[in-house]
Amino acid sequence: MRLRVEFTTEPFDLDEAPAHALVAREVIEAAELDAVDVGPFGNTAEGGSDAVLTAVDALLRRALEAGATRISLQVNVVGEGDDK
């Protein structure tokens, strides 16, 4: 099964990306995911369910440790296929 995760971290800082946002992006970019899209107001990535769920776990833990006070995320099933 393929999944898509969309997420944002808060608090926002329009002048420069806060540490929690940078950490969250690093986690997603380092994960074995496809179609990673990092933007100023939201981020998306797709991949096999195991890879996405592992990345989401790391994202939540590391962004909170880096100062995030809120993390909004949505996970959607986008297709069937290899689970890895």
Side-chain angles (χ1 to χ4, degrees):
M1 170 184 339
R2 288 185 55 78
L3 300 176
R4 176 185 301 123
V5 61
E6 301 174 48
F7 69 92
T8 58
T9 62
E10 295 178 39
F12 294 113
D13 183 339
L14 297 177
D15 293 326
E16 70 180 79
H20 58 81
L22 297 175
V23 165
R25 290 175 188 162
E26 286 173 11
V27 168
I28 291 300
E29 290 175 338
E32 295 182 22
L33 301 173
D34 313 319
V36 174
D37 183 22
V38 175
F41 299 107
N43 309 282
T44 62
E46 291 183 19
S49 61
D50 287 343
V52 170
L53 295 174
T54 297
V56 166
D57 178 65
L59 162 75
L60 293 171
R61 293 174 189 277
R62 294 200 43 215
L64 290 168
E65 290 170 358
T69 58
R70 178 180 175 136
I71 303 169
S72 300
L73 66 90
Q74 179 172 313
V75 178
N76 294 300
V77 174
V78 293
E80 298 298 319
D82 191 282
D83 191 42
K84 295 180 182 176

